[in-house]
Amino acid sequence: MIKYFLEIKNRILLLFLTWLASLFICYLHKETLLFLITQPNKIITNNGFYFIFTNVTEIFSVYIQLITFVGFQLLFFYLIYHLFSFLSLAMFKTEFYYFKTLLKFSVVSWICSIIFNNFVLVPITWNFFLSFQEIISTKFIKLHFESKLTEYLSFYILMYYLAVCYCQIFTILFFFLSYLNDKNKTTKRFRKLFYYVFVVFSTLISPPDVLSQVFVSSLFILIYELLVFSFLLKYQLTR
């Protein structure tokens, strides 16, 4: 038991040092990180958009919030890695292979969620809500939107967590489909349920217009069908 407690203590120390190193590196590249998170709104609204700040310490607080956010994301994956490494010695060979594959799939899903958030979710949502400014300005009164940097960062982080939760659904699908394998009837029976879940989540995370919801729903339905096809094809080849 002393050996296990010593290993846990060492791993906690490594995680703490990793977190400090992540914060330090993120602080050195804070301007680059800020540039990267402000680019998604220019993908669709490419009109020289800018941000304002109303407090002399606001930019510094934004940097602190940003590097803390990125640092905790990196810390979370290091935590999962150390937890898996610690528990892997107690696993059977099939369990080790299964959870290792699942961990890799989760990381790929996380990377996809970042791409989805930056190139789809944030631009579409940002453009949708800004469109009301143009409608009102042309028909009723003149309005000009100036976004605060802190508010945009909070908006981006919220969209990020929504995208991560959405994309991790496919990790759950990985669990589900890996158990089904050749059970075609079961797969067909649950297909309608997953379609319904995709539509509901698309309604929750996408702007409240029909085209955006149809696009997001269709995207995830397509990914789901590709997963089903890949699992069924793998089963047929290994029979």
Side-chain angles (χ1 to χ4, degrees):
M1 291 296 295
I2 296 177
K3 184 187 299 184
Y4 290 116
F5 281 118
L6 181 62
E7 183 179 356
I8 292 174
K9 184 185 72 173
N10 292 335
R11 289 185 183 276
I12 292 176
L13 179 61
L14 286 174
L15 286 172
F16 179 71
L17 294 177
T18 300
W19 182 64
L20 291 180
S22 300
L23 293 180
F24 178 72
I25 294 174
C26 289
Y27 184 79
L28 293 179
H29 299 278
K30 56 186 181 299
E31 293 86 359
T32 303
L33 293 174
L34 185 62
F35 173 78
L36 291 176
I37 70 164
T38 56
Q39 289 308 296
N41 73 84
K42 297 180 181 180
I43 294 178
I44 296 180
T45 59
N46 190 16
N47 53 1
F49 197 84
Y50 63 92
F51 298 96
I52 65 171
F53 62 99
T54 57
N55 192 306
V56 68
T57 61
E58 186 171 330
I59 295 181
F60 178 75
S61 63
V62 166
Y63 282 142
I64 296 299
Q65 185 181 0
L66 179 59
I67 66 175
T68 304
F69 165 71
V70 177
F72 274 112
Q73 301 308 307
L74 297 175
L75 177 65
F76 175 76
F77 279 96
Y78 274 105
L79 175 62
I80 297 298
Y81 169 75
H82 279 282
L83 184 62
F84 175 76
S85 299
F86 180 74
L87 297 177
S88 61
L89 296 177
M91 297 180 183
F92 292 106
K93 186 176 181 181
T94 54
E95 292 175 341
F96 175 81
Y97 174 78
Y98 185 78
F99 283 103
K100 182 180 178 181
T101 305
L102 181 64
L103 183 61
K104 291 180 179 180
F105 188 84
S106 181
V107 172
V108 172
S109 178
W110 174 68
I111 295 174
C112 292
S113 68
I114 297 176
I115 298 174
F116 172 72
N117 184 55
N118 287 356
F119 291 93
V120 179
L121 186 58
V122 170
I124 291 178
T125 305
W126 194 258
N127 187 63
F128 173 79
F129 288 109
L130 282 181
S131 64
F132 290 99
Q133 171 195 334
E134 300 175 358
I135 295 174
I136 296 176
S137 298
T138 55
K139 292 186 178 181
F140 300 100
I141 59 177
K142 291 294 182 180
L143 295 176
H144 183 69
F145 175 69
E146 291 184 336
S147 176
K148 292 183 63 177
L149 190 57
T150 54
E151 295 174 349
Y152 175 78
L153 179 59
S154 299
F155 167 79
Y156 179 89
I157 292 175
L158 175 62
M159 293 295 104
Y160 167 82
Y161 283 124
L162 286 174
V164 168
C165 291
Y166 206 148
C167 290
Q168 289 303 319
I169 291 176
F170 293 103
T171 304
I172 300 175
L173 285 178
F174 178 84
F175 268 110
F176 178 74
L177 294 175
S178 62
Y179 279 114
L180 288 183
N181 282 333
D182 61 326
K183 300 177 182 177
N184 294 328
K185 293 183 179 179
T186 307
T187 305
K188 293 179 181 178
R189 186 168 67 249
F190 280 98
R191 177 179 277 116
K192 294 181 180 180
L193 176 61
F194 280 112
Y195 280 14
Y196 177 77
V197 171
F198 292 148
V199 172
V200 170
F201 271 94
S202 299
T203 305
L204 293 176
I205 71 168
S206 61
D209 67 290
V210 177
L211 291 179
S212 298
Q213 293 175 4
V214 170
F215 173 76
V216 176
S217 300
S218 301
L219 178 63
F220 284 99
I221 289 173
L222 177 62
I223 296 175
Y224 167 76
E225 292 296 340
L226 290 175
L227 283 175
V228 173
F229 176 77
S230 62
F231 273 96
L232 293 178
L233 181 62
K234 179 181 178 181
Y235 172 76
Q236 293 297 329
L237 293 177
T238 55
R239 288 185 61 180

